[in-house]
Amino acid sequence: MILLLLAILSATTAFQGDVVNITLNEPALVTLDDCMYFTETLENSSHLAAGTHSIKITHSCLGMYKIKVKTNSSEYTLSLRVERDPDLEESIVNLEEEVLQLTRQIKNLESEANYYKKLFEVLNDMNVELYDRIQSYAQENEMLRKELEKYKTMATNCTKVVNQLEGKIEELNTTLIRLEANNSELLQQVEDLTSKLSTTKANLDIFQTLFFVTLSFLVGSAFALLRR
């Protein structure tokens, strides 16, 4: 009873070509005979989740078989009897139809595979081209980065030179202001000296006039005395 609660087959007896279901109440590793397979994995041994899974019984099965179920907590087997197909001819016809459909599907899949293969080759070529472009852009970007660093250095040096020139200009402006002040003082001194010189020249002219007048008076007096 415990085994049936953990894993249940939809039927304990089936015919060749039938599909039976196994229902698991917990995840398990289920192993079938080589003449059977799971329709969802196409394998005869699979790790299955809890739930219902379909088992295909091929025509190579006949007799009693054991289905092994292994969970994390237990391991057990289920029995399945496979009987001969009662309508083998119809099953063969159906199998031939299935084989034909599968063959067509395989051809379609092969055609799709060739299409995707060509598409992959095209994409691969595009990836190679894109990779080459990326490499080229990366090299160009590195060159531009170096150029930018160079111009940044030049800009820094120019800023230093400009700051130095501004300092020198400020010094020259200070010197110019000082020289202009000195020039104003010198001009004032020149004006003062010019004024004094003009006064001195006027006094000198007066002195010369008085000197010549006095001299003439003395000479006249001398002549007058001599006449006497």
Side-chain angles (χ1 to χ4, degrees):
M1 290 297 293
I2 297 176
L3 298 179
L4 294 176
L5 292 175
L6 296 176
I8 302 174
L9 285 174
S10 60
T12 57
T13 300
F15 293 103
Q16 294 172 326
D18 283 350
V19 174
V20 297
N21 294 326
I22 182 172
T23 301
L24 302 174
N25 292 328
E26 61 180 287
L29 171 63
V30 182
T31 302
L32 310 174
D33 189 85
D34 291 342
C35 66
M36 307 175 191
Y37 62 86
F38 295 103
T39 58
E40 57 189 296
T41 65
L42 302 180
E43 295 179 354
N44 66 334
S45 181
S46 298
H47 289 276
L48 302 176
T52 301
H53 307 275
S54 298
I55 299 173
K56 175 68 176 180
I57 302 172
T58 67
H59 280 77
S60 60
C61 292
L62 185 62
M64 288 295 300
Y65 294 93
K66 298 293 184 181
I67 297 175
K68 297 179 180 179
V69 180
K70 183 178 181 181
T71 66
N72 292 331
S73 59
S74 60
E75 183 176 355
Y76 49 92
T77 60
L78 299 175
S79 297
L80 176 64
R81 177 186 292 276
V82 180
E83 297 181 355
R84 191 177 301 278
D85 189 348
D87 194 351
L88 185 59
E89 292 182 358
E90 184 179 354
S91 296
I92 291 174
V93 172
N94 292 333
L95 285 174
E96 287 179 348
E97 182 65 25
E98 289 182 4
V99 170
L100 180 59
Q101 291 180 0
L102 290 173
T103 302
R104 290 172 179 171
Q105 291 178 3
I106 289 172
K107 288 184 178 180
N108 290 333
L109 290 174
E110 287 178 347
S111 177
E112 290 183 5
N114 290 331
Y115 168 77
Y116 286 118
K117 182 179 179 181
K118 292 180 180 178
L119 181 61
F120 174 78
E121 291 176 353
V122 172
L123 291 175
N124 188 51
D125 293 339
M126 292 176 63
N127 286 335
V128 171
E129 183 179 355
L130 288 174
Y131 176 79
D132 292 339
R133 288 186 180 180
I134 289 172
Q135 290 294 106
S136 176
Y137 291 149
Q139 293 176 358
E140 184 176 355
N141 184 60
E142 181 64 19
M143 292 176 59
L144 291 175
R145 187 188 66 80
K146 291 181 178 179
E147 288 290 327
L148 179 61
E149 290 297 326
K150 182 176 72 173
Y151 288 129
K152 284 183 178 179
T153 302
M154 292 174 61
T156 301
N157 294 334
C158 288
T159 301
K160 291 180 180 178
V161 172
V162 168
N163 291 335
Q164 292 176 355
L165 291 175
E166 287 178 348
K168 290 183 178 180
I169 290 172
E170 186 175 355
E171 292 178 0
L172 290 174
N173 287 332
T174 303
T175 303
L176 179 61
I177 293 172
R178 180 172 53 83
L179 291 176
E180 287 177 347
N182 292 337
N183 185 55
S184 298
E185 292 179 359
L186 291 175
L187 288 175
Q188 186 63 40
Q189 290 178 5
V190 168
E191 289 179 359
D192 292 342
L193 290 175
T194 302
S195 177
K196 291 179 180 180
L197 182 61
S198 298
T199 303
T200 303
K201 184 177 181 182
N203 293 333
L204 181 60
D205 290 339
I206 294 171
F207 176 77
Q208 288 180 349
T209 302
L210 292 174
F211 173 76
F212 286 115
V213 169
T214 303
L215 181 62
S216 298
F217 176 75
L218 292 175
V219 170
S221 299
F223 278 113
L225 290 173
L226 290 175
R227 288 178 182 178
R228 288 179 184 179

